[in-house]
Amino acid sequence: MTRKKQILVVDDDQEILNLLEQYLSKSGFVVITAAEGEQMLKLLAGQEPDLIILDIMLPGDDGFTLCRKIRQDSTVPIIMLTANSDEMDKVVGLELGADDYIAKPFSPRELLARIKALLRRSEVTHQAQQPARFIRFNQWRLDTQTQSLIDSNGKPLELSGGDYRLLQLFLQHPNEILNRDMISDATRGREILPLERGIDVQISRLRQRLGDNSKSKRIIKTIRGSGYTLVAQVSYEH
């Protein structure tokens, strides 16, 4: 029998907790809930859900702080709930390692579609057979088992799930131009929405991880009007 996917919903609004627990349970998921950060961390100490829905405005530690704590030792997909008018909340959440966001008030059907898309991408990431454990490019090595970057001095740099999937996509298509819709579909399971800045934030964050800035030779180049390309020779090591 196939194991049901488990979703952790973290929100201090009891109505939202009840709504999502009922709706997602009817959609075939096991739902656990927490009203604040301490309760969430206690739950995570004993189990790891397949996906976390995390509100930003929480008593005690806010969603940003909790997202950062989760990313210290987990790549579980995270969808953040944000206030409708707070574009900066979305940007900060993605920079901290969240995989997607949805604004309140939201459609449960849209949230369900995003959940399914992220779970599909997560499964592909974990099930994909790599030709080797390490993928080398420039001075970097990507460890596909630990999902971390290793620099020329052998120092590992942890990546969020979203950063890992994005870098893996570029390494699978080196020196090819990937447009924003292709990147969004591969990393989030959907085409990019009009005026959405999430992909740009992800690219910027990955560039920071790689030390890729305007003062150095670009590893990820912007092709105006077309998309992005990773400029590097890629090789594999066992």
Side-chain angles (χ1 to χ4, degrees), residues 88-126:
M88 185 54 65
D89 282 357
K90 303 171 186 178
V91 174
V92 173
L94 290 169
E95 288 178 339
L96 291 174
D99 297 276
D100 204 352
Y101 57 81
I102 191 165
K104 293 182 177 180
F106 56 84
S107 160
R109 290 182 62 184
E110 180 185 356
L111 177 60
L112 178 61
R114 296 193 182 201
I115 289 170
K116 289 181 176 179
L118 271 180
L119 289 176
R120 284 196 303 269
R121 297 300 161 182
S122 181
E123 287 179 358
V124 168
T125 297
H126 286 91

Side-chain angles (χ1 to χ4, degrees), residues 184-233:
S184 183
D185 184 63
T187 58
R188 301 182 183 187
R190 60 178 174 83
E191 291 187 354
I192 198 165
L193 301 175
L195 304 180
E196 186 175 359
R197 296 181 54 210
I199 295 301
D200 304 313
V201 172
Q202 280 187 288
I203 296 289
S204 177
R205 187 175 64 232
L206 182 57
R207 279 173 168 162
Q208 290 178 7
R209 300 286 190 271
L210 296 171
D212 187 4
N213 54 58
S214 58
K215 297 180 180 179
S216 62
K217 187 176 180 180
R218 282 287 194 192
I219 299 175
I220 299 174
K221 292 184 64 176
T222 300
I223 309 300
R224 188 179 299 275
S226 297
Y228 301 92
T229 184
L230 181 135
V231 182
Q233 294 295 318

